[in-house]
């Protein structure tokens, strides 16, 4: 077990989320929130949590569904090793969702080239430690601290504890991905290497409805979106969006078929099994938006989204029939409509995808932090990341200049 660098605190490693328990986990991951019909509900009594949003991916039920289904397991190459910081009273004061990895799949922050270079030089890159939500490129807290506690101190203890755990466990490195600002500061203060990447998020600028959103577009881009939506619904295609109790087992069966078909072609081996979706549907249905497309009543495509208190998170898409622009309709336009109705601040549409720009999604920087045990590998990675950060910033600026929105003065610029 790693030792906490403070006399009043101790660190332990939990071999599964069940060792920590729902009440303790959620009190640190989503303090002041509960999930109810209609979505997340803020509870009273925790003023310190007023600025925190509900993140469904950090909830006990989501992470437990991955572990209980076996989608996250030693066999899958994701061995739970959650780091728990216990205070002087023995109660968990903070924790970090952590996994021992035997590969680099399902992370969306790619380090394959680091692993290959290190092993060519005679090193052993795996096992490594991953501080993240498995298979989920969505920004959120990774250093989970108790409201009202000395949060800066507790985050620092977790950061130091993760580094010590890596050394003790014989891991080459620790990778904390898709970080919020407070966690970035904690890792940087601990001397970890900083990395940036880019996603595309849709910002809700107080739009009344989808037409109001389109009115903010350049005329050519607005016509393009209208044509795509019209063509997506041709030939008997209809769209239904379901959440909560509206989602039936037959809907999950249909979606899983889409997921397996597309995931098998895209990744070779889909990450989640049917049991994981069953558990998510059973325990998190009120945080799920399932968008299904049917042709003459038969399901042909679908997208799975999770609902936070301030964001809609797009996760999985699949289809068993081709239809022009159906992907854009099911994944992007339906998500925007839902976010407007719910008053959500943004839609996070997952990793990569410059095609999202023309649909109103803007380049957004994501951040991660990396602890490398071997000084030689650390030095090489540090040099690489310095160049990569410059490139990411330059590409982001270039893409933002070609967004489909009208300028503040009403002028229209050339776009892609």
């Amino acid at each position: 077990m790693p030792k906490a660098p403070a006399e009043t605190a101790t660190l332990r490693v939990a071999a599964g989320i069940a060792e920590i328990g729902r009440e303790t986990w959620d009190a640190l991951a989503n303090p002041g929130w509960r999930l109810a019909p209609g979505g997340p509900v803020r509870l009273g009594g925790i003023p310190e949590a007023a600025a925190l949003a509900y993140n469904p991916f950090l909830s006990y039920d989501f992470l437990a569904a991955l572990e209980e289904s076996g989608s996250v397991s030693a066999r899958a190459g994701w061995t739970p090793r959650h780091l728990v910081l216990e205070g002087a009273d023995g109660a968990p004061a903070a924790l970090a969702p952590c996994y021992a990895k035997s590969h680099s799949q399902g992370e969306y922050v790619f380090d394959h080239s680091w692993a290959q270079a290190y092993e060519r030089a005679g090193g052993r890159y795996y096992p490594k430690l991953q501080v993240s939500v498995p298979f989920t490129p969505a920004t959120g807290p990774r250093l989970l601290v108790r409201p009202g506690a000395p949060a800066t101190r507790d985050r620092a203890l977790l950061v130091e504890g993760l580094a010590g755990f890596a050394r003790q466990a014989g891991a080459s490195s620790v990778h904390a991905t898709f970080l919020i600002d407070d966690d970035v500061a904690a890792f940087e203060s601990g001397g970890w290497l900083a990395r940036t990447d880019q996603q595309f998020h849709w910002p809700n600028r107080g739009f009344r409805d989808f037409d109001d959103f389109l009115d903010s577009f350049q005329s050519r881009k607005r016509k393009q979106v209208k044509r795509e939506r019209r063509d997506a619904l041709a030939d008997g295609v209809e769209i239904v969006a379901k959440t909560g109790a509206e989602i039936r087992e037959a809907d999950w069966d249909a979606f899983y078929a889409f997921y397996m078909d597309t995931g098998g072609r895209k990744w070779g081996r889909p990450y989640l099994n049917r049991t994981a979706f069953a558990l998510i549907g059973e325990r998190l249905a009120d945080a799920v938006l399932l968008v299904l497309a049917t042709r003459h009543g038969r399901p042909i495509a679908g997208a799975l989204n999770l609902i936070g208190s301030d964001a809609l998170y797009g996760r999985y898409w699949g289809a068993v029939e081709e239809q022009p622009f159906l992907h854009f309709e099911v994944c992007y336009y339906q998500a925007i409509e839902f976010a407007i109705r719910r008053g959500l601040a943004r839609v996070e549409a997952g990793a990569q995808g410059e095609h999202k720009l023309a649909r109103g999604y803007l380049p957004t920087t994501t951040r991660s932090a990396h602890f490398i045990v071997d000084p030689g590998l650390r030095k090489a990675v540090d040099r690489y990341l310095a160049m990569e950060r410059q490139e990411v910033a330059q590409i982001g600026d270039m893409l933002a200049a070609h967004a489909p929105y009208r300028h503040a003065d009403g002028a229209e610029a050339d776009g892609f």
Side-chain angles (χ1 to χ4, degrees):
M1 299 291 180
K3 294 183 179 180
E7 295 180 0
T8 59
T10 58
L11 285 168
R12 69 179 178 91
V13 175
I17 195 170
E19 287 187 19
I20 301 168
R22 176 183 284 102
E23 183 177 354
T24 297
W25 186 281
D26 284 342
L28 294 168
N30 283 306
W33 291 96
R34 69 177 176 86
L35 188 60
V41 175
R42 185 181 291 282
L43 304 176
I46 308 182
E48 296 86 356
L52 298 179
Y54 173 83
N55 188 310
F57 297 115
L58 269 298
S59 70
Y60 179 92
D61 284 333
F62 182 81
L63 293 170
L66 302 185
E67 291 189 20
E68 290 178 29
S69 67
S71 299
V72 162
S73 63
R75 182 176 181 181
W78 288 80
T79 304
R81 289 293 183 264
H82 307 306
L83 193 65
V84 183
L85 174 70
E86 296 178 337
D89 60 356
L95 57 84
C98 184
Y99 304 85
K101 294 293 305 297
S102 59
H103 53 68
S104 291
Q105 303 300 318
E107 298 167 6
Y108 300 93
V109 176
F110 303 113
D111 64 345
H112 299 86
S113 61
W114 305 358
Q116 292 165 4
Y118 192 51
E119 292 181 355
R120 283 198 301 269
R124 186 169 67 98
Y125 195 74
Y126 303 105
K128 66 176 187 177
L129 299 177
Q130 188 76 21
V131 181
S132 67
V133 176
F135 325 123
T136 305
T139 294
R142 299 295 180 259
L143 304 173
L144 312 182
V145 297
R146 186 174 295 281
T152 300
R153 184 207 67 179
D154 288 351
R155 289 190 182 97
L157 293 177
L158 285 174
V159 168
E160 190 167 347
L162 286 165
F165 182 29
R167 293 190 178 96
Q168 187 182 73
S172 70
S173 51
V174 192
H175 308 267
T177 52
F178 301 101
L179 303 175
I180 62 172
D181 290 346
D182 287 341
D183 291 351
V184 169
F187 283 112
E188 289 184 348
S189 294
W192 292 39
L193 304 181
R195 191 176 194 182
T196 58
D197 203 346
Q198 203 155 251
Q199 292 183 344
F200 291 84
H201 298 175
W202 176 80
N204 188 351
R205 296 169 174 169
F207 300 116
R208 297 186 302 275
D209 52 30
F210 196 88
D211 287 338
D212 187 35
F213 157 63
L214 278 189
D215 284 344
S216 67
F217 271 36
Q218 303 165 25
S219 60
R220 180 168 59 89
K221 297 295 186 180
R222 182 166 58 248
K223 291 176 182 177
Q224 175 184 335
V225 171
K226 289 182 175 180
R227 177 175 62 86
E228 289 177 355
R229 300 202 78 183
R230 182 176 63 250
D231 290 354
L233 299 181
D235 302 321
V237 174
E238 296 181 340
I239 304 293
V240 59
K242 297 184 176 185
T243 189
E246 299 171 332
I247 305 173
R248 306 298 184 187
E249 199 64 22
D251 300 323
W252 285 113
D253 287 338
F255 177 77
Y256 188 65
F258 309 148
Y259 169 77
M260 289 297 291
D261 180 81
T262 301
R265 287 185 281 108
K266 189 174 182 181
W267 310 311
R269 182 178 65 86
Y271 298 130
L272 303 185
N273 56 34
R274 181 64 178 87
T275 301
F277 287 108
L279 292 172
I280 291 170
E282 174 188 333
R283 302 172 185 177
L284 282 163
D286 291 306
V288 170
L289 171 67
L290 189 62
V291 180
L292 297 173
T294 64
R295 191 192 304 276
H296 305 303
R298 187 176 72 86
I300 63 169
L304 175 64
N305 308 262
L306 263 66
I307 307 165
S309 60
D310 66 347
L312 182 69
Y313 302 92
R315 277 309 299 119
Y316 296 110
W317 143 268
V320 293
E321 288 188 13
E322 294 290 333
Q323 175 74 7
F325 307 116
L326 187 60
H327 177 224
F328 299 155
E329 175 65 29
V330 171
C331 292
Y332 307 140
Y333 301 141
Q334 287 292 321
I336 289 171
E337 287 198 335
F338 182 86
I340 292 173
R341 289 196 303 271
R342 281 286 182 98
L344 301 177
R346 67 189 183 281
V347 176
E348 297 192 17
Q352 305 169 332
E354 293 181 3
H355 59 278
K356 299 168 187 172
L357 185 69
R359 281 88 208 170
Y361 291 72
L362 299 180
T364 303
T365 300
T366 60
R367 289 167 293 179
S368 58
H370 306 266
F371 174 79
I372 311 293
V373 174
D374 185 284
L377 179 60
R378 175 189 168 86
K379 186 175 181 179
V381 170
D382 193 17
R383 287 197 303 266
Y384 169 80
L385 292 180
M387 294 185 293
E388 185 186 54
R389 287 193 298 270
Q390 291 183 346
E391 181 180 358
V392 168
Q394 291 169 355
I395 292 174
D397 290 342
M398 182 269 292
L399 289 171
H402 291 280
Y405 297 98
R406 296 195 309 268
H407 294 308
D409 59 5
E412 300 195 1
D414 292 336
F416 289 142

